[in-house]
Amino acid sequence: MEDIAAAAAVSRATIYLHFPGKPVLLRALLEEDWQQQIRLFERLASVHVREVEQLSRWVLRVAEGMRRARDSFGIHWAALGQNPDLIMRHCEHRAELARLLSNWAGRGGEQALRIAIEAELIVAELEHFATAAAIVWLEEQVSVALPMVVSRICKFSLANPES
């Protein structure tokens, strides 16, 4: 809490006025990050499913969001590790992102378990790509992986004959 207070240039007492303890603060940080991710996935609606360049730019924006948030990765994993309820909330969050992806791809009306699972796997793949691009990969690796991720998303969206 001292480190957080110092980074925010406020006293510890000020932090405790808003957050009665670390678990509440950690949950708030996660929820804020998850809301930013949802807004990013909502912006996917403006990308046409057959516009590979637009989709590539969107995927790179996801990676840029991870790059900006990379200093908080340790906090996220610590929060998840300390609170089983947050693990469930994280799963719900991923399912929400998968629902947004399915809706964008024109597959939101399909109730098949296979579609939901495929969308969640794509979200996990996208999360892995964005995390690796933000932390460990060189630009060359990002350039190689980007078309693979975009292709996977395109195949998912084009599996719907109405898109």
Side-chain angles (χ1 to χ4, degrees):
M1 292 299 262
E2 287 178 26
D3 292 343
I4 293 168
V10 298
S11 70
R12 276 183 39 185
T14 300
I15 291 177
Y16 280 109
L17 283 173
H18 300 281
F19 304 101
K22 274 193 268 186
V24 176
L25 175 62
L26 294 174
R27 182 180 187 100
L29 289 171
L30 283 172
E31 291 289 346
E32 181 180 325
D33 182 53
W34 292 338
Q35 286 305 312
Q36 289 174 359
Q37 290 175 1
I38 286 171
R39 284 191 295 275
L40 185 59
F41 269 72
E42 287 170 343
R43 281 189 232 135
L44 185 57
S46 67
V47 175
H48 189 275
V49 294
R50 289 190 170 93
E51 289 293 328
V52 174
E53 286 301 317
Q54 285 182 349
L55 186 56
S56 294
R57 285 192 300 276
W58 180 82
V59 169
L60 288 173
R61 278 195 297 274
V62 172
E64 181 55 34
M66 285 288 202
R67 187 173 292 118
R68 285 192 306 271
R70 71 177 164 209
D71 292 340
S72 63
F73 286 171
I75 293 170
H76 288 188
W77 291 114
L80 291 172
Q82 291 177 10
N83 188 337
D85 291 338
L86 282 180
I87 293 171
M88 289 305 299
R89 177 65 186 98
H90 186 246
C91 291
E92 292 167 1
H93 168 68
R94 278 189 169 171
E96 174 65 10
L97 295 180
R99 186 189 64 75
L100 291 168
L101 177 68
S102 294
N103 288 345
W104 167 79
R107 302 186 80 180
E110 297 180 39
Q111 296 299 313
L113 182 60
R114 182 186 170 286
I115 300 303
I117 290 172
E118 186 176 3
E120 285 195 44
L121 289 171
I122 291 170
V123 167
E125 184 177 331
L126 181 59
E127 184 179 79
H128 176 78
F129 167 82
T131 302
I135 296 175
V136 295
W137 280 351
L138 302 172
E139 191 60 37
E140 178 182 8
Q141 292 166 299
V142 172
S143 296
V144 169
L146 177 63
M148 294 176 192
V149 173
V150 169
S151 173
R152 178 90 162 96
I153 296 170
C154 285
K155 285 178 186 172
F156 176 72
S157 69
L158 296 175
N160 177 20
E162 295 178 16
S163 57

